[in-house]
Amino acid sequence: MTIMKKAAYLAAIAAQFALSTPPAAAQNAIDNALPLSDINVIRRDSRLVLRMNLDARELHPSTNREYLITPVLIADNKADSAVFTSVLISGRNLYMRHVRNNDLDSVSMYQSGKHDTISYSASVPLHKWMDNATLHIRSQRKVCCNKVATVYNDEVALIRRPEFAPRYNYLGLTGADGTEALNAADTVKIFDLTGSAYINFPVNRTELYPLYMNNPAELGKITATIDSVKEDPDITITSIYIKGFASPEGKYDNNELLAKGRTETLRKYVEDLYSFPYGFIKTDFMPEDWSGLRDYVEKSALADRDNLLQIIDSDMEPDAKDTRIKTLYPTVYTHLLSNVYPKLRHSDYIITYRVRAYTSMNEILSVLKTAPQKLSRYEFYRAAQTMEPGSDEFNEVYETAVRMYPNDEVCNLNAANTAMQRGHYNDAARYLAKAGNSPESIYARGLLAALEKNYTQAENLLQTAARLKVADAPEALRQVREMIKYGDGHVEIINH
């Protein structure tokens, strides 16, 4: 057969696919329902593979007749389709003619009576629309002289890819068990601002000179922290705490006097600068900061690191420890005196303040934009309720809340939910690690496991959540079990 004749032959076959209703008098199996079995669809890399068995014993075209069978996948919206390789079952004369002319390279050809079962396997490029489609078997019965006697379009299977589409539980006013997760009392907002200042004092003296050495910058740290909240009308400073530290250098008794005296001097300086009442600023002191020294040595690459740590951790008196280090490791001691001990003479401070509650939604939304650190967890939740769930602004509220409350279980749970909805699974796992073990947190961990295709783990977690009365857990569990059952996809047989 010439190329032109071959093209004309295949075109004639394709043209007949438009017909869908067989003649009422047709008696052959092809005119009713093809004898198909074990229909299966598998996704492999970038292709969709169709496998099925065709019982050829019911299809016996005579010597000058043949059947052309073509699987076609059609999208639910009818806008997309994909045609698989055709199967041609021919009577002896037609089969021999095809072989002799080599005219059907794109068709799987079989001779009538030679096969009981035809195992079919073919693939097409994979597209997203194939997650939900219908498999049609288009068949033709041809008689002599290339005439088409019957054309049949049989819908044989629905191709369905299971989807995991759970509901996400955001904790706010109430939890799954009906108890309050956040409440109005949460609007009582007490916060701390912390810092360290390295004030320079003359050797063995406790007098504070504001302009001495680097004191303007170090004192400025403290005043800047206080000023950041003192002038805000929404904020009331409730307490100030200062703790002074001296380094291990020298005698312990002298260091104790220096730490105590210098802390008191700093307290009076701040108290007078702001006219705080006497006793408003609380103080404490540490004669020698061995903890700070240990932290430095432990993180260092000093050659004698382990020996130094052994001395620092020993039960020796502080002066004996200092002498031991100076005597056994003079080079290291010189390094510590110059580079480490000055940093151990510091004043740590804590400014504790209270932010008033915001009751108006307009107020809450305004503060959310300008100073979110002033909102309570409850106020963040109220703001989110005014937004479309899953929207960018909705997600941003919960992600901002967890930045303001990084160790809060409720904020971490809600942030995990937004991260999962956005496909940020690593972030979700990080948040869930701090979300505690509430029923909702167990449920959320089950959702994350399912989204990451860890279906066995997801099933176990969701079973637990269901037992703990999380309302949405049974439906999520059903979806996971469908994923386990069907995996890559499943085929629902119809009309067969």
Side-chain angles (χ1 to χ4, degrees):
M1 182 181 287
T2 66
I3 293 178
M4 291 185 64
K5 287 183 178 179
K6 175 181 175 181
Y9 176 78
L10 293 176
I13 292 174
Q16 295 298 330
F17 282 171
L19 301 175
S20 61
T21 305
Q27 300 297 317
N28 197 286
I30 198 169
D31 297 318
N32 299 296
L34 284 170
L36 303 174
S37 62
D38 299 326
I39 300 173
N40 191 23
V41 172
I42 304 170
R43 290 165 178 82
R44 287 292 179 264
D45 299 324
S46 60
R47 299 192 69 81
L48 186 75
V49 180
L50 170 63
R51 294 174 181 167
M52 60 184 177
N53 290 327
L54 172 63
D55 188 351
R57 293 172 299 182
E58 297 188 29
L59 300 174
H60 293 294
S62 60
T63 186
N64 289 313
R65 297 188 180 191
E66 58 189 1
Y67 298 131
L68 183 69
I69 301 166
T70 306
V72 181
L73 197 63
I74 299 178
D76 280 357
N77 61 12
K78 311 300 183 184
D80 298 291
S81 64
V83 180
F84 291 88
T85 301
S86 298
V87 173
L88 185 67
I89 304 174
S90 303
R92 183 180 182 280
N93 288 351
L94 286 179
Y95 178 83
M96 297 305 296
R97 187 175 69 183
H98 291 315
V99 171
R100 184 168 57 251
N101 294 333
N102 191 26
D103 56 5
L104 294 175
D105 294 339
S106 61
V107 176
S108 297
M109 188 170 60
Y110 298 87
Q111 183 178 347
S112 175
K114 297 293 186 180
H115 304 273
D116 290 339
T117 300
I118 295 174
S119 297
Y120 179 89
S121 180
S123 68
V124 292
L126 181 62
H127 298 284
K128 179 62 179 174
W129 63 262
M130 293 177 178
D131 286 350
N132 294 283
T134 304
L135 179 64
H136 293 239
I137 301 296
R138 293 175 175 173
S139 49
Q140 295 181 4
R141 181 162 60 90
K142 302 188 65 173
V143 296
C144 65
C145 305
N146 240 4
K147 293 181 179 179
V148 177
T150 304
V151 177
Y152 193 72
N153 183 20
D154 188 15
E155 294 185 5
V156 300
L158 301 177
I159 311 301
R160 295 292 180 262
R161 187 170 189 173
E163 292 186 13
F164 186 63
R167 288 177 58 88
Y168 294 91
N169 288 180
Y170 288 87
L171 275 189
L173 300 178
T174 58
D177 59 358
T179 60
E180 288 186 332
L182 302 175
N183 52 60
D186 189 57
T187 57
V188 178
K189 297 165 285 185
I190 305 296
F191 300 104
D192 290 330
L193 293 174
T194 63
S196 293
Y198 300 90
I199 311 299
N200 290 286
F201 291 87
V203 177
N204 280 328
R205 303 295 294 270
T206 61
E207 296 91 343
L208 174 59
Y209 298 99
L211 301 180
Y212 181 64
M213 298 180 69
N214 199 39
N215 282 354
E218 295 303 312
L219 290 170
K221 291 180 182 178
I222 300 175
T223 58
T225 303
I226 295 174
D227 291 344
S228 69
V229 292
K230 191 174 188 302
E231 302 306 319
D232 191 322
D234 291 346
I235 291 177
T236 301
I237 296 177
T238 58
S239 68
I240 297 177
Y241 172 80
I242 299 174
K243 185 173 183 178
F245 296 79
S247 68
E249 176 192 6
K251 296 296 184 181
Y252 184 88
D253 290 346
N254 187 56
N255 289 335
E256 184 176 25
L257 291 174
L258 291 175
K260 182 177 182 180
R262 290 171 176 176
T263 301
E264 179 62 20
T265 301
L266 179 59
R267 179 199 65 77
K268 190 174 187 309
Y269 171 83
V270 175
E271 196 171 77
D272 291 345
L273 189 64
Y274 288 94
S275 299
F276 288 123
Y278 177 79
F280 184 80
I281 301 176
K282 307 300 181 184
T283 62
D284 195 3
F285 65 93
M286 178 66 68
E288 296 181 354
D289 189 4
W290 285 96
S291 176
L293 178 61
R294 190 191 192 288
D295 185 61
Y296 170 81
V297 173
E298 184 177 36
K299 296 175 181 177
S300 74
L302 294 171
D304 299 303
R305 171 184 171 279
D306 292 342
N307 293 332
L308 291 169
L309 288 174
Q310 188 174 4
I311 295 172
I312 294 171
D313 292 338
S314 70
D315 295 332
M316 289 188 291
E317 294 297 324
D319 288 347
K321 292 181 183 181
D322 185 54
T323 301
R324 178 69 62 88
I325 295 172
K326 183 191 305 184
T327 302
L328 296 181
Y329 309 102
T331 303
V332 172
Y333 192 78
T334 300
H335 167 77
L336 295 176
L337 282 177
S338 301
N339 301 287
V340 182
Y341 280 18
K343 297 178 181 179
L344 299 180
R345 304 172 196 130
H346 56 98
S347 298
D348 294 349
Y349 55 90
I350 303 174
I351 315 300
T352 301
Y353 64 95
R354 181 179 66 248
V355 181
R356 74 174 180 87
Y358 301 107
T359 56
S360 161
M361 182 54 64
N362 288 337
E363 242 185 350
I364 292 174
L365 294 176
S366 176
V367 174
L368 176 65
K369 294 178 181 178
T370 59
Q373 69 276 9
K374 293 163 66 174
L375 295 179
S376 69
R377 301 178 306 159
Y378 179 79
E379 288 161 346
F380 275 113
Y381 178 80
R382 286 190 63 197
Q385 302 319 294
T386 68
M387 301 168 185
E388 180 67 26
S391 66
D392 288 343
E393 60 179 359
F394 176 90
N395 293 335
E396 183 61 28
V397 169
Y398 286 118
E399 290 178 0
T400 302
V402 81
R403 288 198 299 272
M404 299 301 104
Y405 299 90
N407 297 312
D408 182 82
E409 292 182 359
V410 172
C411 290
N412 275 281
L413 172 61
N414 290 339
N417 284 326
T418 65
M420 284 189 283
Q421 287 185 280
R422 300 172 88 168
H424 300 167
Y425 300 150
N426 288 338
D427 289 341
R430 178 165 50 84
Y431 293 136
L432 287 174
K434 293 184 176 182
N437 290 303
S438 67
E440 294 85 1
S441 296
I442 294 170
Y443 173 72
R445 291 189 182 98
L447 301 189
L448 179 60
L451 291 167
E452 295 184 322
K453 302 187 185 305
N454 298 322
Y455 297 128
T456 300
Q457 179 185 10
E459 184 178 29
N460 292 334
L461 288 167
L462 292 173
Q463 282 179 324
T464 301
R467 288 197 299 269
L468 294 173
K469 308 302 182 184
V470 177
D472 294 317
E475 170 58 20
L477 183 59
R478 183 197 66 77
Q479 293 182 31
V480 165
R481 285 173 172 165
E482 187 174 74
M483 304 296 285
I484 293 173
K485 180 177 180 181
Y486 295 116
D488 219 13
H490 73 280
V491 177
E492 180 182 342
I493 306 300
I494 59 176
N495 291 342
H496 273 262

